[in-house]
Amino acid sequence: MGESLSVLVFGASRGIGRATARKYQEAGHHVAGTRRAGGTVPEGVLGLEADVTDNASVQAALAAAVEAHGPLDVLVVTAGITRDNFLIRMSDEEVREVIETNLIGPINVVRNAWKGMWRARKGSIVLLSSTGAKVGQTAQSNYTASKAGLEGFVRSAAREGAARGIRINALAPGATDTDMLNAAPPAVIERMKDGIPMHRIAHEDEIASAIIDYAGMTYVTGQTLYVSGGV
Ligand SMILES: NC(=O)c1ccc[n+]([C@@H]2O[C@H](COP(=O)([O-])OP(=O)(O)OC[C@H]3O[C@@H](n4cnc5c(N)ncnc54)[C@H](OP(=O)(O)O)[C@@H]3O)[C@@H](O)[C@H]2O)c1
Protein backbone atom coordinates (compact mmCIF):
# COMPACT_ATOMS: atom_id res chain seq x y z
CA MET A 1 0.00 0.00 0.00
CA GLY A 2 1.07 3.62 -0.63
CA GLU A 3 0.86 6.40 1.97
CA SER A 4 -1.88 6.21 4.57
CA LEU A 5 -4.50 8.90 3.98
CA SER A 6 -6.57 10.93 6.45
CA VAL A 7 -10.16 10.41 5.27
CA LEU A 8 -13.48 11.79 6.53
CA VAL A 9 -16.85 10.60 5.23
CA PHE A 10 -20.04 12.51 6.09
CA GLY A 11 -22.91 10.00 6.06
CA ALA A 12 -20.97 6.84 6.99
CA SER A 13 -23.83 5.13 8.84
CA ARG A 14 -25.59 3.66 5.82
CA GLY A 15 -25.46 2.98 2.10
CA ILE A 16 -22.81 4.40 -0.19
CA GLY A 17 -21.07 6.44 2.55
CA ARG A 18 -20.78 3.45 4.86
CA ALA A 19 -19.34 1.30 2.05
CA THR A 20 -16.85 4.06 1.16
CA ALA A 21 -15.64 4.43 4.76
CA ARG A 22 -15.32 0.64 5.11
CA LYS A 23 -13.31 0.28 1.90
CA TYR A 24 -10.91 3.08 2.81
CA GLN A 25 -10.46 1.51 6.24
CA GLU A 26 -9.85 -1.96 4.77
CA ALA A 27 -7.19 -0.43 2.51
CA GLY A 28 -5.31 0.71 5.64
CA HIS A 29 -6.18 4.42 5.69
CA HIS A 30 -7.08 6.49 8.76
CA VAL A 31 -10.81 6.94 8.45
CA ALA A 32 -13.38 8.96 10.38
CA GLY A 33 -17.05 8.81 9.52
CA THR A 34 -20.14 10.65 10.68
CA ARG A 35 -23.44 9.27 11.80
CA ARG A 36 -26.47 10.93 13.28
CA ALA A 37 -27.80 9.90 16.69
CA GLY A 38 -28.55 6.21 16.70
CA GLY A 39 -26.45 5.10 13.72
CA THR A 40 -23.16 3.22 13.69
CA VAL A 41 -20.10 3.40 11.45
CA PRO A 42 -18.06 0.38 10.21
CA GLU A 43 -15.63 -1.26 12.63
CA GLY A 44 -12.24 0.44 12.72
CA VAL A 45 -13.69 3.77 11.55
CA LEU A 46 -13.64 6.65 14.03
CA GLY A 47 -17.31 7.44 14.62
CA LEU A 48 -18.29 11.10 14.96
CA GLU A 49 -21.75 12.54 15.37
CA ALA A 50 -22.80 15.22 12.88
CA ASP A 51 -25.83 16.53 11.07
CA VAL A 52 -24.89 18.42 7.89
CA THR A 53 -27.70 20.93 8.56
CA ASP A 54 -26.08 21.85 11.90
CA ASN A 55 -22.87 23.85 11.40
CA ALA A 56 -21.62 23.45 14.97
CA SER A 57 -21.75 19.65 14.68
CA VAL A 58 -20.01 19.78 11.28
CA GLN A 59 -17.20 21.92 12.71
CA ALA A 60 -16.80 19.61 15.70
CA ALA A 61 -16.60 16.52 13.46
CA LEU A 62 -14.00 18.14 11.18
CA ALA A 63 -11.90 19.21 14.17
CA ALA A 64 -12.07 15.74 15.74
CA ALA A 65 -11.07 13.99 12.49
CA VAL A 66 -8.08 16.31 11.96
CA GLU A 67 -7.06 15.96 15.61
CA ALA A 68 -7.11 12.16 15.36
CA HIS A 69 -5.65 11.60 11.88
CA GLY A 70 -4.03 14.87 10.73
CA PRO A 71 -5.06 17.29 7.95
CA LEU A 72 -7.61 15.71 5.62
CA ASP A 73 -6.43 14.16 2.38
CA VAL A 74 -9.94 13.09 1.38
CA LEU A 75 -13.38 14.45 2.30
CA VAL A 76 -16.46 12.62 1.00
CA VAL A 77 -20.00 13.91 1.59
CA THR A 78 -22.68 11.31 0.89
CA ALA A 79 -25.30 12.64 3.35
CA GLY A 80 -28.53 13.06 1.44
CA ILE A 81 -32.28 12.55 1.60
CA THR A 82 -35.27 12.28 -0.71
CA ARG A 83 -38.76 13.69 -0.14
CA ASP A 84 -40.38 12.61 -3.40
CA ASN A 85 -43.62 14.09 -4.62
CA PHE A 86 -45.23 15.29 -7.81
CA LEU A 87 -44.72 19.00 -8.27
CA ILE A 88 -48.45 19.64 -8.11
CA ARG A 89 -48.51 18.25 -4.56
CA MET A 90 -45.04 19.19 -3.32
CA SER A 91 -45.03 21.05 0.01
CA ASP A 92 -42.81 23.92 1.14
CA GLU A 93 -41.30 21.54 3.67
CA GLU A 94 -40.42 18.91 1.05
CA VAL A 95 -38.55 21.53 -0.93
CA ARG A 96 -36.84 23.10 2.06
CA GLU A 97 -35.69 19.89 3.79
CA VAL A 98 -34.13 18.51 0.62
CA ILE A 99 -32.35 21.74 -0.32
CA GLU A 100 -31.10 22.21 3.25
CA THR A 101 -29.75 18.67 3.56
CA ASN A 102 -28.51 17.96 0.02
CA LEU A 103 -27.29 21.37 -1.12
CA ILE A 104 -26.71 23.77 1.78
CA GLY A 105 -25.42 20.93 4.01
CA PRO A 106 -22.56 19.79 1.72
CA ILE A 107 -21.68 23.42 0.86
CA ASN A 108 -21.31 24.13 4.58
CA VAL A 109 -19.21 21.01 5.10
CA VAL A 110 -16.86 22.16 2.34
CA ARG A 111 -16.75 25.77 3.60
CA ASN A 112 -15.81 24.53 7.06
CA ALA A 113 -13.13 22.17 5.72
CA TRP A 114 -11.75 24.66 3.20
CA LYS A 115 -9.49 26.73 5.47
CA GLY A 116 -7.72 23.64 6.81
CA MET A 117 -7.15 22.29 3.31
CA TRP A 118 -6.02 25.74 2.14
CA ARG A 119 -3.41 25.87 4.91
CA ALA A 120 -2.30 22.27 4.32
CA ARG A 121 -2.27 22.87 0.54
CA LYS A 122 -3.99 19.56 -0.10
CA GLY A 123 -7.36 17.88 -0.16
CA SER A 124 -9.58 15.91 -2.51
CA ILE A 125 -13.32 16.42 -2.02
CA VAL A 126 -16.06 14.26 -3.53
CA LEU A 127 -19.73 15.29 -3.23
CA LEU A 128 -22.56 12.96 -4.24
CA SER A 129 -24.82 14.14 -7.03
CA SER A 130 -27.26 11.93 -8.92
CA THR A 131 -27.81 10.96 -12.54
CA GLY A 132 -31.26 12.51 -12.09
CA ALA A 133 -29.63 15.96 -11.95
CA LYS A 134 -28.73 15.53 -15.62
CA VAL A 135 -31.65 13.56 -17.06
CA GLY A 136 -34.49 14.61 -14.72
CA GLN A 137 -36.63 12.34 -12.57
CA THR A 138 -40.40 12.37 -12.14
CA ALA A 139 -41.49 13.28 -8.57
CA GLN A 140 -37.92 14.32 -7.67
CA SER A 141 -37.77 17.95 -8.81
CA ASN A 142 -36.67 19.09 -5.33
CA TYR A 143 -33.99 16.39 -5.20
CA THR A 144 -32.62 16.90 -8.73
CA ALA A 145 -32.53 20.67 -8.14
CA SER A 146 -30.39 20.13 -5.04
CA LYS A 147 -28.00 17.84 -6.93
CA ALA A 148 -27.72 20.08 -9.99
CA GLY A 149 -26.88 22.90 -7.57
CA LEU A 150 -24.05 20.83 -6.10
CA GLU A 151 -22.58 20.28 -9.57
CA GLY A 152 -22.48 24.05 -10.14
CA PHE A 153 -20.92 24.56 -6.72
CA VAL A 154 -18.18 22.05 -7.51
CA ARG A 155 -17.29 23.78 -10.79
CA SER A 156 -16.75 27.13 -9.07
CA ALA A 157 -15.07 25.86 -5.90
CA ALA A 158 -12.65 23.86 -8.06
CA ARG A 159 -11.44 27.07 -9.70
CA GLU A 160 -10.73 28.60 -6.28
CA GLY A 161 -9.00 25.55 -4.84
CA ALA A 162 -6.96 24.44 -7.84
CA ALA A 163 -3.86 26.59 -7.36
CA ARG A 164 -3.84 25.64 -3.69
CA GLY A 165 -3.78 21.87 -4.25
CA ILE A 166 -7.47 21.37 -3.40
CA ARG A 167 -9.57 19.32 -5.84
CA ILE A 168 -13.34 19.04 -5.66
CA ASN A 169 -15.59 16.89 -7.83
CA ALA A 170 -19.10 15.48 -7.93
CA LEU A 171 -19.90 11.81 -8.51
CA ALA A 172 -23.38 11.04 -9.81
CA PRO A 173 -24.53 7.47 -9.24
CA GLY A 174 -27.44 5.92 -11.04
CA ALA A 175 -29.91 3.77 -9.09
CA THR A 176 -27.99 2.01 -6.30
CA ASP A 177 -29.18 -0.72 -3.95
CA THR A 178 -29.45 1.17 -0.63
CA ASP A 179 -32.20 2.19 1.82
CA MET A 180 -32.75 5.34 -0.24
CA LEU A 181 -33.60 3.38 -3.39
CA ASN A 182 -35.49 0.65 -1.56
CA ALA A 183 -37.95 3.24 -0.24
CA ALA A 184 -39.44 3.07 -3.78
CA PRO A 185 -42.03 0.36 -4.55
CA PRO A 186 -40.46 -2.85 -6.02
CA ALA A 187 -42.43 -2.40 -9.27
CA VAL A 188 -40.90 1.07 -9.74
CA ILE A 189 -37.40 -0.34 -9.16
CA GLU A 190 -38.07 -3.08 -11.75
CA ARG A 191 -39.18 -0.46 -14.28
CA MET A 192 -36.03 1.58 -13.57
CA LYS A 193 -33.90 -1.32 -14.81
CA ASP A 194 -35.49 -1.05 -18.27
CA GLY A 195 -34.07 2.45 -18.61
CA ILE A 196 -30.53 1.41 -17.66
CA PRO A 197 -28.39 0.15 -20.57
CA MET A 198 -26.72 -2.38 -18.22
CA HIS A 199 -30.21 -3.50 -17.03
CA ARG A 200 -29.26 -3.67 -13.37
CA ILE A 201 -29.08 -1.58 -10.23
CA ALA A 202 -25.59 -0.73 -8.89
CA HIS A 203 -24.26 -2.35 -5.72
CA GLU A 204 -23.17 0.21 -3.11
CA ASP A 205 -19.63 -1.24 -3.19
CA GLU A 206 -19.34 -0.42 -6.90
CA ILE A 207 -20.15 3.22 -6.20
CA ALA A 208 -17.79 3.27 -3.19
CA SER A 209 -14.93 1.92 -5.34
CA ALA A 210 -15.62 4.57 -7.96
CA ILE A 211 -15.56 7.31 -5.29
CA ILE A 212 -12.17 6.08 -4.05
CA ASP A 213 -10.64 5.87 -7.54
CA TYR A 214 -12.09 9.26 -8.47
CA ALA A 215 -10.79 10.95 -5.30
CA GLY A 216 -7.32 9.72 -6.27
CA MET A 217 -7.36 11.17 -9.81
CA THR A 218 -4.77 13.88 -9.27
CA TYR A 219 -5.43 15.93 -12.45
CA VAL A 220 -9.23 16.00 -12.26
CA THR A 221 -11.16 18.83 -10.62
CA GLY A 222 -14.50 20.61 -11.11
CA GLN A 223 -16.08 17.61 -12.86
CA THR A 224 -19.09 15.36 -12.50
CA LEU A 225 -18.54 11.65 -13.12
CA TYR A 226 -21.63 9.59 -13.97
CA VAL A 227 -21.45 6.07 -12.56
CA SER A 228 -24.75 4.87 -13.89
CA GLY A 229 -24.60 1.67 -15.92
CA GLY A 230 -24.70 3.70 -19.12
CA VAL A 231 -27.50 6.17 -18.35
N1 LIG B 1 -29.14 5.11 -3.76
C1 LIG B 1 -29.28 5.68 -4.93
O1 LIG B 1 -29.93 5.14 -5.84
C2 LIG B 1 -28.62 7.00 -5.22
C3 LIG B 1 -28.60 7.44 -6.57
C4 LIG B 1 -28.01 8.66 -6.85
C5 LIG B 1 -27.45 9.43 -5.85
N2 LIG B 1 -27.46 8.99 -4.56
C6 LIG B 1 -26.87 9.86 -3.54
O2 LIG B 1 -25.84 9.17 -2.87
C7 LIG B 1 -25.75 9.61 -1.51
C8 LIG B 1 -25.83 8.42 -0.58
O3 LIG B 1 -27.09 7.81 -0.78
P1 LIG B 1 -27.46 6.38 -0.17
O4 LIG B 1 -28.25 5.68 -1.20
O5 LIG B 1 -26.25 5.75 0.41
O6 LIG B 1 -28.49 6.85 0.97
P2 LIG B 1 -28.91 6.17 2.35
O7 LIG B 1 -28.65 4.71 2.32
O8 LIG B 1 -30.29 6.68 2.59
O9 LIG B 1 -27.88 6.84 3.38
C9 LIG B 1 -27.90 8.22 3.55
C10 LIG B 1 -26.84 8.62 4.52
O10 LIG B 1 -26.89 10.04 4.67
C11 LIG B 1 -26.99 10.35 6.05
N3 LIG B 1 -27.72 11.60 6.24
C12 LIG B 1 -28.96 11.93 5.82
N4 LIG B 1 -29.27 13.17 6.22
C13 LIG B 1 -28.21 13.63 6.94
C14 LIG B 1 -27.92 14.82 7.64
N5 LIG B 1 -28.80 15.83 7.70
N6 LIG B 1 -26.72 14.95 8.24
C15 LIG B 1 -25.82 13.94 8.20
N7 LIG B 1 -26.04 12.77 7.58
C16 LIG B 1 -27.22 12.62 6.96
C17 LIG B 1 -27.73 9.17 6.64
O11 LIG B 1 -27.54 9.15 8.04
P3 LIG B 1 -28.61 8.44 9.03
O12 LIG B 1 -28.24 6.98 9.03
O13 LIG B 1 -28.39 9.11 10.32
O14 LIG B 1 -29.98 8.70 8.46
C18 LIG B 1 -27.06 8.01 5.90
O15 LIG B 1 -25.80 7.72 6.46
C19 LIG B 1 -26.90 10.62 -1.31
O16 LIG B 1 -26.41 11.92 -1.41
C20 LIG B 1 -27.84 10.30 -2.45
O17 LIG B 1 -28.60 11.41 -2.81
C21 LIG B 1 -28.04 7.78 -4.22
Side-chain angles (χ1 to χ4, degrees):
M1 195 192 73
E3 60 164 335
S4 186
L5 303 173
S6 168
V7 178
L8 174 58
V9 180
F10 276 84
S13 53
R14 285 186 290 123
I16 293 167
R18 186 180 178 90
T20 304
R22 195 196 72 237
K23 278 182 172 286
Y24 268 121
Q25 196 275 333
E26 286 170 355
H29 300 295
H30 299 299
V31 187
T34 74
R35 54 189 172 78
R36 292 187 294 178
T40 62
V41 300
E43 210 181 317
V45 170
L46 173 65
L48 304 168
E49 228 172 85
D51 185 318
V52 296
T53 65
D54 170 12
N55 252 337
S57 75
V58 167
Q59 283 163 7
L62 282 161
V66 171
E67 165 90 22
H69 300 145
L72 297 182
D73 295 290
V74 178
L75 171 65
V76 180
V77 186
T78 64
I81 57 167
T82 50
R83 295 285 182 268
D84 295 354
N85 214 339
F86 295 107
L87 197 46
I88 203 157
R89 288 206 290 264
M90 192 173 283
S91 67
D92 290 353
E93 204 177 23
E94 285 163 344
V95 174
R96 195 179 39 75
E97 275 183 37
V98 166
I99 299 291
E100 276 179 5
T101 303
N102 296 6
L103 180 58
I104 299 175
I107 289 174
N108 281 340
V109 171
V110 171
R111 286 197 308 127
N112 282 306
W114 200 252
K115 211 175 266 176
M117 290 185 169
W118 192 270
R119 273 198 223 104
R121 293 179 173 272
K122 65 172 182 178
S124 175
I125 303 169
V126 178
L127 307 182
L128 269 284
S129 181
S130 166
T131 307
K134 184 89 166 181
V135 300
Q137 200 80 271
T138 302
Q140 287 203 322
S141 56
N142 51 353
Y143 178 81
T144 53
S146 72
K147 297 301 191 180
L150 273 189
E151 294 185 17
F153 172 71
V154 154
R155 288 193 279 272
S156 297
R159 290 184 177 271
E160 295 187 31
R164 205 66 192 191
I166 307 170
R167 292 180 298 102
I168 176 166
N169 292 288
L171 185 140
T176 307
D177 188 11
T178 66
D179 294 346
M180 179 178 280
L181 179 77
N182 292 319
V188 171
I189 297 176
E190 275 311 305
R191 272 204 306 279
M192 274 180 194
K193 292 183 191 168
D194 295 337
I196 302 169
M198 286 177 70
H199 287 299
R200 67 175 180 85
I201 302 295
H203 190 279
E204 60 193 22
D205 284 354
E206 292 179 286
I207 306 299
S209 296
I211 290 171
I212 292 169
D213 290 348
Y214 191 36
M217 292 179 185
T218 53
Y219 198 55
V220 176
T221 193
Q223 307 302 309
T224 298
L225 176 67
Y226 289 84
V227 184
S228 56
V231 173

